[in-house]
Amino acid sequence: MDTYKLFTFNSTHQAMLSEKTLKGAGLLVRLIPVPRSVSASCGLALRVSEGEYEGAVRIMEENGIEIAEIHDF
């Protein structure tokens, strides 16, 4: 089973912006509903593979996208 990182956000806007920005940079990411085991203000989370984690964080920081939490799955 593949491991991945799950990013949560404080707003739906930040979640959708992160998906658009990262897909535009060529990363394979996916917006999913926040799992019940994870609490967040926004109902969406961004699923990112372990291999693209560092690049995703860097791109989001460069674009001012605020991450609420990062979880390992």
Side-chain angles (χ1 to χ4, degrees), residues 7-70:
F7 294 82
T8 59
F9 305 90
N10 292 320
S11 72
T12 301
H13 172 75
Q14 289 291 302
M16 294 175 73
L17 180 60
S18 68
E19 179 191 39
K20 180 180 178 180
T21 302
L22 294 176
K23 281 187 173 182
L27 276 68
L28 297 174
V29 299
R30 185 173 159 201
L31 275 182
I32 63 169
V34 174
R36 291 179 191 220
S37 62
V38 175
S39 63
S41 309
C42 166
L44 296 174
L46 188 74
R47 182 178 170 157
V48 178
S49 71
E50 284 281 341
E52 294 186 322
Y53 166 71
E54 290 182 19
V57 170
R58 180 183 47 79
I59 292 167
M60 285 191 277
E61 286 176 351
E62 289 172 354
N63 286 277
I65 298 170
E66 298 176 17
I67 302 164
E69 296 178 339
I70 302 171

